[in-house]
Amino acid sequence: MSRQAEKEAFWLGRRVFITGCTGFLGSWLTAALLDRGAVVSGLIRVREPESELVRSGLISRITQIPGELLDYALLKQTLTDHHIDTVFHLAGQTIVGVANRDPVATFETNIRGTWLLLEAIRHTPTVRGAIIASSEKAYGEQSDLPYREEFALQGRHPYEVSKSCADLIAQSFAHTYGLAVAVTRCSNLYGGGDLSWNRLIPGTIRSILNGEQPVIRSDGSFRRDYLYVADAVRGYLMLAQNLTEPGVRGQPFNLGSGCPVSALEVVRTIVALSKNPEIQPIILNEVVHEILDEYLSPSKAEKAIDWRPQYTLAGGLKEAMDWYKAYLNS
């Protein structure tokens, strides 16, 4: 069997457990794993009818585990009963504004939920390894850019702190107990299926497709690193396939484009791709407790697993706009 054939056959029949499978990234990752022949079990707290996993019907092809991330007994039983080989931990509270309003619930889900899952993994011999989703927010505000994996994690506000803590806890389990764990720190993901309309890209696309002015909450100058969700999924799968390799095991990895763009640039790119080039954004300039510039260096992932983004911002946005157009028209 060729090396390429081995890569393609890796997931065939492999038993996978995903927390957050009905979320934006989770839906894409679940679809990719099913397409590769994996046997998927997913933890489902609430069956969201608008989840792409539900809308596409793919949810019927996985073993649905109803319950909470904070239920240790359920996590342990699921890993054992389903003979899980690989875990992808994506579940969490992901909205910065919600974290600021309700820090305790965010800390419970993002921090305690992570250590409970890792403890369940530690006591389940069948589990080969796990990918734990952190975020670029785990870095907090840094004086040097781009963010690199060796930087200290120094979140200050609730969401950032929750990701810094979960990230370090995952590394602690890897280094203390020898678990094959890798941590992903993704930049801002975008693509079809993200229905969080308060986010810049989904909200802007919906506004423009409806012939309305898009809204920028900041002054438009905040720079972020945007990554098309298909590139993120490819990174997750490549890391998972290499979890037991010395250069991956116990390591954090940035998954990002390395090319920061301002909110205003993103909106202008979407406008340029649309049929309404005369539309101008409304700039509210009301953002507080957010970092001005954030972007990642993906060089570690490039060296360790030969991963790099395949989509340009314009290319990813074009595919995303096609998805939203079909969704809104339906």
Side-chain angles (χ1 to χ4, degrees), residues 105-261:
T106 298
F107 293 155
E108 279 282 294
T109 300
N110 293 1
I111 303 174
R112 183 164 175 251
T114 298
W115 86 53
L116 288 175
L117 178 60
L118 286 164
E119 182 69 356
I121 289 170
R122 184 166 78 91
H123 292 289
T124 309
T126 62
V127 178
R128 182 183 62 95
I131 302 291
I132 307 298
S134 180
S135 165
E136 67 176 358
K137 296 289 189 185
Y139 287 107
E141 191 162 8
Q142 302 280 344
S143 57
D144 295 327
L145 291 167
Y147 296 168
R148 299 185 182 276
E149 289 86 349
E150 63 268 24
F151 286 9
L153 302 184
Q154 51 188 38
R156 292 292 180 268
H157 301 292
Y159 181 73
E160 300 164 20
V161 168
S162 77
K163 302 311 286 187
S164 297
C165 290
D167 194 313
L168 289 170
I169 287 167
Q171 293 183 64
S172 173
F173 271 79
H175 294 295
T176 305
Y177 305 110
L179 298 189
V181 171
V183 176
T184 56
R185 299 170 183 167
C186 286
S187 59
N188 290 261
L189 300 182
Y190 70 95
D194 182 3
L195 301 182
S196 296
W197 303 114
N198 61 318
R199 291 188 177 129
L200 178 66
I201 289 177
T204 297
I205 291 176
R206 184 177 68 169
S207 294
I208 288 175
L209 290 177
N210 288 336
E212 302 166 354
Q213 289 180 274
V215 174
I216 299 176
R217 294 183 302 112
S218 69
D219 64 3
S221 67
F222 284 51
R223 295 194 303 163
R224 295 290 184 266
D225 184 342
Y226 294 92
L227 183 68
Y228 188 51
V229 64
D231 278 328
V233 167
R234 194 165 45 82
Y236 269 76
L237 295 178
M238 292 171 72
L239 284 171
Q241 288 169 210
N242 291 279
L243 268 173
T244 56
E245 296 296 319
V248 174
R249 189 185 195 117
Q251 296 295 312
F253 290 92
N254 292 337
L255 297 179
S257 70
C259 301
V261 291

Side-chain angles (χ1 to χ4, degrees), residues 50-92:
E50 289 301 300
S51 161
E52 185 59 15
L53 190 67
V54 176
R55 291 182 68 252
S56 67
L58 289 178
I59 195 168
S60 65
R61 292 177 55 192
I62 74 171
T63 300
Q64 301 171 48
I65 311 295
E68 298 280 345
L69 179 62
L70 300 177
D71 186 342
Y72 175 79
L74 176 65
L75 297 175
K76 184 67 175 67
Q77 181 180 4
T78 298
L79 297 179
T80 302
D81 290 355
H82 296 275
H83 307 286
I84 298 300
D85 172 271
T86 305
V87 176
F88 292 92
H89 177 38
L90 310 180

